[in-house]
Amino acid sequence: MKRHATRRIFAAAAALTLLAACGSDSDDSSSDDSDQWYVQADFDEQNAQRDATFEGDPATPWLQYIDGEMTDTAAFASPGAKKVCFANASVSNPWRQTGFLTMQQQLEVLVGQGAISEMETRDAQDDDNTQIADIDYFISEGNCDAFIISPNSTAAITPAVERACETGKPVVVFDRGVETDCATTFIHPIGGYAWGIDTAEFLVDNLEEGDKVIALRILPGVDVLETRWAAAEKILDENGIEHEDHFTGADPTEIKKIISDALVQGDVDGVWMDAGDGAVAAIEAFEDAGVDYPVMTGEDEMSFLRKWEDTGLTGLAPVYSNFQWRTPLLAVQMIFAGQPVPAEWVLPQTPITEDERAEYLAANEGLPDGHYAKFGGEDLPGFPQVWIDREVG
């Protein structure tokens, strides 16, 4: 497996506050710049991984992985409960909040089992310098037995991750990547290209050549988002689907304006999103205009799933598997038991189709709109109340 290539795909999102400063002008389409994000080898690898056989039980997808290089952890084997130090990029959006809640409940289980004594968490609030300081604090003052790091950005956080590795203690990197292979394991779903392929193929299957798609993108310069659009744009182009892409900052008002302006100019047959934030606002713009619903791809956020069901539109909910937030702590448990772990732990990433939507709506009934359907925490203590209350502080 090409670990460096995959790490490029999962390069971290830059701090949201910084990215917001880059602008969310709906007229600033980045189609002309998409080639710089497209790497054919990475596209091909993730396309193949969409159909890969995952090792492990499908009932526990947070423990599944694609067969590949394993890390020998025998040198870390040690009895007794261990302290974990977690340097988190942020809990600044509903996806990260949902995941952190799941992580905390998984921690409760492992503390009860005597595998982990505690997890000290420092939240970088989407700031590289803060996260670097957090990691250095853990190295010098945290008395950590293991490090878990969800990087805020790729290049800036790499030296700090390498310093953590130099302590000789296990380092688990997840969600977003860094430019080093020193971590004991790097955990992530398949990636942005897989998202782009799933969504664009769905649109192509349900549209005609010459139809028009509006692509609603959150922010520029975030690799995992840019590769979603790079893959989708390639497929739409190859199939003669017209398209415009706009940055929205995930602002519902801006999203409505973009769709409304496009509808004034003519038909909009499809809507593509690189994340589900604002999906409801996009749908409401069609309702306000009194026109037919588009073919649409959103995300497994509950607000989209519910609106999708209510409207009956032709839709797909791609997934950036939120259940991955369980995996780092379970990896630490395995590492200190001396069990091998994947060097690059690639988790399943499967969209929710119309046939499956009712199942996920029922399983997450009563949970808030900002919750994510494939969070994978139904068997953890506190379900569902912890995820309803959403106390992440």
Side-chain angles (χ1 to χ4, degrees):
M1 183 177 293
K2 302 184 289 295
R3 294 178 66 193
H4 287 291
T6 306
R7 287 174 194 275
R8 287 199 302 271
I9 296 157
F10 289 88
L16 290 180
T17 51
L18 175 62
L19 287 169
C22 293
S24 60
D25 185 349
S26 65
D27 293 327
D28 182 16
S29 173
S30 69
S31 293
D32 293 341
D33 299 326
S34 62
D35 286 350
Q36 69 176 301
W37 298 101
Y38 185 82
V39 179
Q40 185 67 48
D42 295 344
F43 178 100
D44 293 342
E45 180 178 49
Q46 291 195 20
N47 192 21
Q49 289 176 338
R50 293 164 64 227
D51 297 317
T53 298
F54 284 81
E55 304 295 321
D57 186 352
T60 55
W62 48 87
L63 288 174
Q64 289 189 287
Y65 60 93
I66 296 176
D67 189 26
E69 179 186 352
M70 302 293 285
T71 300
D72 183 350
T73 67
F76 295 122
S78 177
K82 307 298 180 184
K83 179 182 177 181
V84 174
C85 295
F86 177 33
N88 190 15
S90 75
V91 287
S92 62
N93 61 60
W95 186 88
R96 301 192 70 82
Q97 292 159 11
T98 299
F100 187 58
L101 290 169
T102 303
M103 190 182 202
Q104 289 177 305
Q105 298 312 112
Q106 180 65 75
L107 174 66
E108 182 178 320
V109 172
L110 294 174
V111 169
Q113 293 174 351
I116 293 177
S117 59
E118 63 175 306
M119 181 173 75
E120 183 177 352
T121 300
R122 295 178 79 90
D123 185 335
Q125 299 181 0
D126 299 307
D127 183 81
D128 284 339
N129 290 329
T130 299
Q131 188 167 51
I132 291 166
D134 290 343
I135 295 169
D136 286 339
Y137 163 80
F138 281 144
I139 292 169
S140 63
E141 304 291 340
N143 298 315
C144 310
D145 295 309
F147 302 93
I148 295 175
I149 301 170
S150 179
N152 187 62
S153 69
T154 303
I157 305 304
T158 295
V161 171
E162 290 176 330
R163 289 194 291 275
C165 292
E166 289 167 1
T167 67
K169 297 175 181 178
V171 176
V172 175
V173 174
F174 84 102
D175 172 31
R176 304 163 171 177
V178 286
E179 296 174 344
T180 176
D181 289 338
C182 75
T184 312
T185 182
F186 170 39
I187 298 163
H188 59 81
I190 297 172
Y193 288 101
W195 174 297
I197 295 166
D198 286 336
T199 51
E201 288 187 347
F202 177 80
L203 290 170
V204 168
D205 288 345
N206 288 279
L207 295 174
E208 303 291 337
E209 185 175 353
D211 282 349
K212 183 176 180 178
V213 168
I214 298 295
L216 301 173
R217 307 173 60 192
I218 296 178
L219 295 164
V222 182
D223 282 13
V224 74
L225 302 179
E226 292 280 6
T227 54
R228 290 175 186 181
W229 177 238
E233 184 178 37
K234 171 184 169 62
I235 293 169
L236 295 177
D237 283 342
E238 290 175 345
N239 288 275
I241 304 295
E242 296 183 13
H243 54 78
E244 296 177 4
D245 65 301
H246 303 265
F247 290 118
T248 70
D251 180 354
T253 301
E254 183 68 12
I255 287 169
K256 270 196 172 184
K257 180 180 183 298
I258 291 167
I259 297 295
S260 297
D261 289 349
L263 288 170
V264 169
Q265 298 171 21
D267 292 339
V268 174
D269 305 290
V271 171
W272 181 95
M273 304 191 75
D274 63 9
D277 290 357
V280 171
I283 298 169
E284 288 174 346
F286 285 84
E287 293 173 337
D288 293 346
V291 299
D292 291 342
Y293 291 115
V295 178
M296 183 168 184
T297 65
E299 196 175 10
D300 64 322
E301 189 179 39
M302 295 308 300
S303 61
F304 174 68
L305 295 182
R306 288 167 178 150
K307 190 68 172 177
W308 177 15
E309 181 186 46
D310 290 344
T311 61
L313 61 77
T314 300
L316 181 75
V319 169
Y320 191 62
S321 308
N322 195 262
F323 55 68
Q324 69 180 289
W325 288 76
R326 297 185 69 164
T327 314
L329 287 170
L330 293 166
V332 168
Q333 181 186 34
M334 294 170 65
I335 290 165
F336 281 115
Q339 300 174 15
V341 295
E344 185 169 5
W345 193 324
V346 182
L347 296 162
Q349 177 182 320
T350 308
I352 296 174
T353 65
E354 183 172 354
D355 290 342
E356 300 167 316
R357 186 186 62 226
E359 171 191 347
Y360 284 98
L361 285 170
N364 293 277
E365 185 177 0
L367 287 156
D369 282 347
H371 182 70
Y372 282 74
K374 283 199 173 185
F375 78 114
E378 294 89 346
D379 64 326
L380 290 172
F383 177 78
Q385 198 60 46
V386 165
W387 289 266
I388 293 173
D389 294 342
R390 301 187 79 76
E391 296 179 1
V392 296

